[in-house]
Amino acid sequence: MRTYQIFLIEDEFAHHYYGREKLFFNLFLEYIQARGRLKSILQKQIEFVTKTVPIIQLQVAIEQRLQKKMNFWSQNGKYYLEKTSGSSKAVLIIHDDSITLKADGDYEAETAFFECIRKYEASFLAIDFEHEKYGWLKPIKERKFV
């Protein structure tokens, strides 16, 4: 099973740290592992660089984009998507400070959720802590000055 934590990064920080996503990964990982006063300090840093997830608006966007899929449903604030053959399953849970996506099988179901989130907002960063993978759902285009 793959588990992703998806954070909405403030635009200013998303642009400034584009290409250096590992710094965000390290910040979130250090927070998870921290104790006591250090955890409190890291929490303030995370609150500073992230935005609150717009739960209602994101729920509407997900429902509008995925309601036509045969194997999409929601229950108790969770969204489920399963490929007909059962070879791809994903569940999405939206929190105030992040989104959790759990997926199993091939990548079709999780990709559908990623697409919905990506189309809603540009500065979502997905992190898979277990496999140490991370990246923008929608890569930020670098400005080119001529």
Side-chain angles (χ1 to χ4, degrees), residues 2 8 14 18 25 29 32 41 49 59 61 64 73 75 77 81 85 88 101 109 119-120 131 133 145-146:
R2 296 173 300 281
L8 184 54
Y18 176 75
F25 172 78
L29 183 62
I32 290 169
I41 292 167
V49 301
Q59 288 173 330
Q64 286 176 345
W73 72 96
Q75 184 177 11
L81 189 58
S85 65
S88 179
L101 176 62
K119 287 180 179 177
Y120 181 78
H131 299 103
K133 293 183 179 183
F145 298 101
V146 180

Side-chain angles (χ1 to χ4, degrees), residues 36-47:
R37 189 163 188 265
L38 178 59
K39 191 165 190 96
S40 174
I41 292 167
L42 292 170
Q43 180 177 356
K44 288 177 184 173
Q45 289 177 344
I46 288 171
E47 288 170 1

Side-chain angles (χ1 to χ4, degrees), residues 31-84:
Y31 171 75
I32 290 169
Q33 298 170 343
R35 300 281 177 257
R37 189 163 188 265
L38 178 59
K39 191 165 190 96
S40 174
I41 292 167
L42 292 170
Q43 180 177 356
K44 288 177 184 173
Q45 289 177 344
I46 288 171
E47 288 170 1
F48 189 71
V49 301
T50 59
K51 293 192 266 189
T52 301
V53 176
I55 296 173
I56 303 298
Q57 297 91 327
L58 192 55
Q59 288 173 330
V60 168
I62 288 169
E63 289 169 7
Q64 286 176 345
R65 289 191 179 102
L66 294 178
Q67 68 184 351
K68 296 173 188 140
K69 300 246 185 223
M70 288 180 70
N71 294 317
F72 169 74
W73 72 96
S74 65
Q75 184 177 11
N76 299 326
K78 296 178 181 180
Y79 294 91
Y80 299 87
L81 189 58
E82 185 174 337
K83 191 174 172 184
T84 310

